[in-house]
Amino acid sequence: MCLGIPMQITDINGYNARCEAKGVRREVNLFLMQDAALAPGDFVLVHVGYAIQKISEVEARSSWELFDEVLRVQEQGGYA
Amino acid sequence: MSHDAAYWLRQIRSLHLTQRTRIMNVCGGHERSITMAGLRSVLPSTIELIPGPGCPVCVCPEEDVYQAIQLALQENIILVAFGDMLRVPVNVPKGEAHTLEQARAAGADIRPIASPQEAIALAHAVPDKHVVFFAAGFETTMAPVAAMVAAGMPENLSLLLSGRLTWPAVAMLLASDTPGFHGLVAPGHVSTVMGAQEWEFVPQHYHIPTAVAGFTAESLLAAFYSILRQLESGKVFLDNCYGTVVSNTGNHRAQEILQDVFSVTDANWRGVGIIPASGFTLQAAYRAHDARVLFAHTVDHTQRKRAGAMPPGCDCARVVLGRIYPNACRLYGRACTPRNPVGPCMVSEEGACRIWWSGGLRAPTAPTVSA
Ligand code: SF4
């Protein structure tokens, strides 16, 4: 549950941002990011609907790969 | 500049390691990556990777879950919680709801949520009901919860808060006679919020090599290498192997909001006991939204058998403290599986039992972690 998922900001309206990750769209709250200059196109780490940190595109992409991998193993291993 | 997993493995193998070395992680996300990537099987056999206190749901007090169930059973209350919480069992006589999920089946209005924002939206949507948000989590999760409070809550929303801090559990282990580990992988996203420096006390006061890691195999192996290299050289320090995301001082604004909204108190960890300065409570200014104040007299734990304890036969508390591996529990994979979980460590996505089972570790019985 402590895991943040990288998402890309597509649109900002006050403390609310629309974000996207691999086709999934979410409303993300920016209240914890008040000190960061954020703009559409930027990547953030999102945890329970809140951005907690700005990250680079390279970092975002490497994490996405990781989640793909984890999900694949879980699907294969499954828990019966 | 970043190296791949094979590089870090070569580096680790080039060290002269003869002694058994136990490296503890304190993050369910780390444990998941370690297990899914099969890192245990590729490291030299002298190295043990131990899942430690990395699961806030696993240590959420039994009394709190019980209170959540009792509140949810009240007519005018809707209870919301992060999904993991719904299947955590309490100790009640047969026939009574022993999870939130069962209480829901019995008619209680209980809804899983994925974000504090959903609690706000729900409270606005049902002005004639009271919404209780039962929130467990470590610092990473408590910062968004604090943000929700600071931004202003609807009148009919309150918090049943079971938030915990990660580092005091590690400090408690280190201060004990048997910490059970020689190196520490510090958590990635807790440190994103709180800053890597929060872990400085581990090398400084206890001379235990420490490295902050991310969640890729590369980042974890880099952290293991750093820890092992520190042990070999005798020069112990706090390393940051996740510098692309974690800074030394963390997200200052998030820390300020945490401080404004919560105070830190001694707190109970299920099956473990009280750990000093390890829990978040709402500041007095938010009493009107504190479910512990609003519903202080709704439950009586003194009449309940095994109040506060783990379920009978469940060794989750020792799993959480890294004293045993999950499959050393007699119930692992027998009476206890994710489909029919006996204890919280098999319920939560961050519980070591659940992660090991999901990762395909099916054999019950295994090495115990000797202290
Ligand atoms: S296997 Fe089940 S019963 Fe055993 S410690 Fe884990 S959660 Fe508890």
Side-chain angles (χ1 to χ4, degrees), chain B residues 150 197 211 230 235 240 301 351:
Chain B
Q197 67 182 11
Q230 292 181 48
K235 288 198 196 82
N240 184 357
H301 299 293

Side-chain angles (χ1 to χ4, degrees), chain B residues 5-87:
Chain B
Y7 169 86
W8 291 115
L9 263 180
R10 278 200 305 279
Q11 290 293 101
I12 290 171
R13 293 203 177 112
S14 74
L15 295 168
H16 303 286
L17 301 161
T18 48
Q19 289 194 327
R20 283 200 89 65
T21 307
R22 302 187 190 90
I23 302 175
M24 181 179 271
N25 71 72
V26 292
C27 165
H30 280 160
E31 182 52 35
R32 187 165 289 277
S33 288
I34 289 168
T35 300
M36 297 306 164
L39 295 188
R40 287 192 175 82
S41 59
V42 298
L43 288 173
S45 61
T46 47
I47 301 169
E48 281 187 51
L49 303 179
I50 301 166
C55 171
V57 168
C58 301
V59 298
C60 178
E62 192 261 359
E63 294 91 333
D64 292 2
V65 185
Y66 181 80
Q67 179 165 24
I69 292 172
Q70 301 315 308
L71 289 177
L73 287 167
Q74 291 189 15
E75 263 305 305
N76 61 328
I77 289 180
I78 303 177
L79 189 120
V80 299
F82 295 124
D84 267 16
M85 225 47 241
L86 267 56
R87 299 180 72 205

Side-chain angles (χ1 to χ4, degrees), chain B residues 313-316 319 326 329-333 336 341-347 353:
Chain B
C314 170
D315 236 343
C316 211
V319 171
C329 170
R330 281 181 299 126
L331 302 185
Y332 179 85
C336 185
V342 171
C345 298
M346 192 61 93
V347 170
C353 300

Side-chain angles (χ1 to χ4, degrees), chain B:
Chain B
M1 218 209 72
S2 68
H3 297 288
D4 63 4
Y7 169 86
W8 291 115
L9 263 180
R10 278 200 305 279
Q11 290 293 101
I12 290 171
R13 293 203 177 112
S14 74
L15 295 168
H16 303 286
L17 301 161
T18 48
Q19 289 194 327
R20 283 200 89 65
T21 307
R22 302 187 190 90
I23 302 175
M24 181 179 271
N25 71 72
V26 292
C27 165
H30 280 160
E31 182 52 35
R32 187 165 289 277
S33 288
I34 289 168
T35 300
M36 297 306 164
L39 295 188
R40 287 192 175 82
S41 59
V42 298
L43 288 173
S45 61
T46 47
I47 301 169
E48 281 187 51
L49 303 179
I50 301 166
C55 171
V57 168
C58 301
V59 298
C60 178
E62 192 261 359
E63 294 91 333
D64 292 2
V65 185
Y66 181 80
Q67 179 165 24
I69 292 172
Q70 301 315 308
L71 289 177
L73 287 167
Q74 291 189 15
E75 263 305 305
N76 61 328
I77 289 180
I78 303 177
L79 189 120
V80 299
F82 295 124
D84 267 16
M85 225 47 241
L86 267 56
R87 299 180 72 205
V88 173
V90 293
N91 302 317
V92 292
K94 270 211 168 65
E96 279 182 41
H98 82 276
T99 61
L100 285 163
E101 200 173 53
Q102 287 184 355
R104 184 165 65 168
D109 196 343
I110 297 169
R111 307 182 191 187
I113 56 170
S115 167
Q117 290 296 305
E118 289 176 46
I120 299 270
L122 176 64
H124 282 305
V126 290
D128 52 336
K129 296 254 185 183
H130 186 86
V131 178
V132 176
F133 176 14
F134 179 27
F138 285 144
E139 296 92 330
T140 324
T141 311
M142 285 303 114
V145 172
M148 173 196 83
V149 177
M153 288 162 86
E155 241 165 63
N156 61 330
L157 176 61
S158 66
L159 263 179
L160 179 58
L161 194 69
S162 304
R164 294 289 179 271
L165 289 87
T166 321
W167 70 264
V170 174
M172 182 207 69
L173 284 174
L174 287 169
S176 74
D177 295 336
T178 51
F181 58 99
H182 308 104
L184 178 73
V185 177
H189 291 161
V190 168
S191 303
T192 302
V193 173
M194 305 307 287
Q197 67 182 11
E198 209 183 38
W199 300 96
E200 194 78 66
F201 76 97
V202 183
Q204 249 176 31
H205 297 306
Y206 297 98
H207 306 287
I208 300 268
T210 304
V212 180
F215 298 90
T216 59
E218 296 83 68
S219 184
L220 281 159
L221 288 167
F224 300 152
Y225 174 70
S226 169
I227 287 165
L228 295 165
R229 179 88 188 83
Q230 292 181 48
L231 280 172
E232 196 190 52
S233 69
K235 288 198 196 82
V236 170
F237 60 97
L238 170 67
D239 201 356
N240 184 357
C241 301
Y242 196 29
T244 49
V245 171
V246 174
S247 70
N248 198 35
T249 56
N251 180 335
H252 296 203
R253 178 62 72 128
Q255 292 163 29
E256 271 167 40
I257 293 170
L258 275 169
Q259 273 181 17
D260 288 347
V261 172
F262 301 140
S263 37
V264 171
T265 54
D266 298 351
N268 189 15
W269 295 50
R270 185 173 185 175
V272 175
I274 304 277
I275 301 183
S278 69
F280 291 108
T281 56
L282 276 168
Q283 297 263 12
Y286 300 103
R287 282 173 73 85
H289 294 286
D290 191 342
R292 290 188 194 281
V293 176
L294 297 178
F295 307 104
H297 304 296
T298 46
V299 290
D300 178 9
H301 299 293
T302 56
Q303 301 303 315
R304 287 198 303 126
K305 278 198 189 138
R306 295 186 64 87
M310 284 292 175
C314 170
D315 236 343
C316 211
R318 289 206 295 156
V319 171
V320 163
L321 294 176
R323 302 291 190 215
I324 61 166
Y325 285 122
N327 55 358
C329 170
R330 281 181 299 126
L331 302 185
Y332 179 85
R334 296 196 174 103
C336 185
T337 59
R339 197 158 280 175
N340 288 303
V342 171
C345 298
M346 192 61 93
V347 170
S348 173
E349 292 282 345
E350 294 185 292
C353 300
R354 169 75 173 265
I355 293 168
W356 278 39
W357 189 259
S358 309
L361 279 124
R362 293 297 148 87
T365 76
T368 18
V369 187
S370 45

